Amino acid sequence: MKGEAQDGNILSTFDFSAIEEMDPSVRQGCRLIYEKELDFNLRIQEPNGDYQDATTQEKIRVRLFLQGDEKNPEEVRIELDSEADLFFYYQHIATRVNFREIKTKQQLQIDFGQYANVCVKSFMKCEKDSQHYYVMLTIDKDLTGILQIVQTSEYKDIEMIAFDFQSASEEGIRQQITFKYGALKSKLSLMDGRLQDCLLYTSDAADDLLCVDLGGRRIIKKK
């Protein structure tokens, strides 16, 4: 995935593409166009409309998927999940039909073909300029949520754009947990295989350093 490739760590040397293709989020031609773990300000809203006193900061992974042609998409889907809570899995799904309502509610001056790009740019502002932009996620007891991209200013915080989210179904959550567990096992297996190859190569190289080649005969050096 993009996030792994950009980390510049040892994991980027492994090819996990076959594993990632098994992700249930990649379905019916959907493709991942953005992925990043961001700092979220998270708060809970009570049924009476009041908020719980504490607003916590959590690391939440944001993934944005596009179905169909980039300039003429059929669906734009944003997914939120957390390594700290396997049951935390929320989705925002926009189609040509419900985008009319989204556009009116958010007073957007764009068409549906530009929506995915606007979403990516909004999250990238929070990623690259956390001094002036942040993410606020408000979750209701009925498992719905509102994600707001907020710009800070000298006098007040200004909401730039907001997304309605819904917790995934129990089956969707189960599929994600199953995939994450299976993917982790497969990745560890690949890494273990690479490690064993490295150890074997290192062992052979060490043996060669202890030998002298005399006319095709290998004589063991005395330590």
Side-chain angles (χ1 to χ4, degrees), residues 82-121:
S82 170
E83 290 297 327
D85 182 357
L86 292 178
F87 294 92
F88 182 94
Y89 182 35
Y90 282 77
Q91 296 177 322
H92 167 83
I93 300 176
T95 64
R96 289 193 171 276
V97 176
N98 69 358
F99 179 71
R100 299 171 187 172
E101 180 181 351
I102 294 172
K103 182 176 181 178
T104 301
K105 184 177 180 180
Q106 291 296 310
Q107 300 180 342
L108 300 176
Q109 304 298 318
I110 59 172
D111 58 31
F112 186 52
Q114 300 169 291
Y115 187 56
N117 191 41
V118 169
C119 294
V120 171
K121 287 183 177 180

Side-chain angles (χ1 to χ4, degrees), residues 74-181:
E74 299 175 22
E75 178 182 291
V76 175
R77 186 171 76 255
I78 305 173
E79 295 186 354
L80 309 176
D81 63 20
S82 170
E83 290 297 327
D85 182 357
L86 292 178
F87 294 92
F88 182 94
Y89 182 35
Y90 282 77
Q91 296 177 322
H92 167 83
I93 300 176
T95 64
R96 289 193 171 276
V97 176
N98 69 358
F99 179 71
R100 299 171 187 172
E101 180 181 351
I102 294 172
K103 182 176 181 178
T104 301
K105 184 177 180 180
Q106 291 296 310
Q107 300 180 342
L108 300 176
Q109 304 298 318
I110 59 172
D111 58 31
F112 186 52
Q114 300 169 291
Y115 187 56
N117 191 41
V118 169
C119 294
V120 171
K121 287 183 177 180
S122 298
F123 286 114
M124 288 186 70
K125 287 181 182 294
C126 300
E127 173 189 342
K128 299 182 181 298
D129 188 8
S130 59
Q131 294 291 327
H132 299 98
Y133 296 90
Y134 67 90
V135 185
M136 173 64 76
L137 178 61
T138 304
I139 296 179
D140 295 333
K141 294 293 187 178
D142 61 357
L143 300 181
T144 61
I146 298 177
L147 186 153
Q148 299 164 289
I149 305 293
V150 182
Q151 181 181 13
T152 62
S153 67
E154 184 178 357
Y155 304 106
K156 63 182 295 186
D157 291 352
I158 304 168
E159 178 189 294
M160 304 301 295
I161 192 170
F163 308 95
D164 291 328
F165 276 83
Q166 176 72 49
S167 178
S169 65
E170 290 185 5
E171 176 60 20
I173 294 173
R174 184 193 67 79
Q175 290 179 1
Q176 275 296 326
I177 293 176
T178 301
F179 167 72
K180 285 182 177 181
Y181 176 72

Side-chain angles (χ1 to χ4, degrees), residues 3-133:
E4 290 175 340
Q6 293 172 350
D7 283 344
N9 57 30
I10 191 171
L11 291 180
S12 63
T13 66
F14 291 87
D15 182 10
F16 294 141
S17 57
I19 298 174
E20 291 159 359
E21 289 174 0
M22 302 301 293
D23 189 341
S25 294
V26 184
R27 53 179 172 76
Q28 299 176 356
C30 289
R31 64 185 185 278
L32 181 68
I33 63 172
Y34 177 82
E35 177 181 15
K36 194 68 179 180
E37 190 176 59
L38 300 175
D39 290 319
F40 273 47
N41 292 293
L42 184 63
R43 62 183 179 182
I44 307 298
Q45 188 172 31
E46 300 291 352
N48 61 5
D50 293 336
Y51 298 107
Q52 290 185 0
D53 293 336
T55 297
T56 61
Q57 192 171 74
E58 304 284 349
K59 290 283 189 181
I60 304 294
R61 183 176 67 160
V62 179
R63 297 198 297 170
L64 199 149
F65 296 88
L66 190 69
Q67 181 180 3
D69 184 73
E70 184 173 350
K71 295 182 179 180
N72 188 30
E74 299 175 22
E75 178 182 291
V76 175
R77 186 171 76 255
I78 305 173
E79 295 186 354
L80 309 176
D81 63 20
S82 170
E83 290 297 327
D85 182 357
L86 292 178
F87 294 92
F88 182 94
Y89 182 35
Y90 282 77
Q91 296 177 322
H92 167 83
I93 300 176
T95 64
R96 289 193 171 276
V97 176
N98 69 358
F99 179 71
R100 299 171 187 172
E101 180 181 351
I102 294 172
K103 182 176 181 178
T104 301
K105 184 177 180 180
Q106 291 296 310
Q107 300 180 342
L108 300 176
Q109 304 298 318
I110 59 172
D111 58 31
F112 186 52
Q114 300 169 291
Y115 187 56
N117 191 41
V118 169
C119 294
V120 171
K121 287 183 177 180
S122 298
F123 286 114
M124 288 186 70
K125 287 181 182 294
C126 300
E127 173 189 342
K128 299 182 181 298
D129 188 8
S130 59
Q131 294 291 327
H132 299 98
Y133 296 90

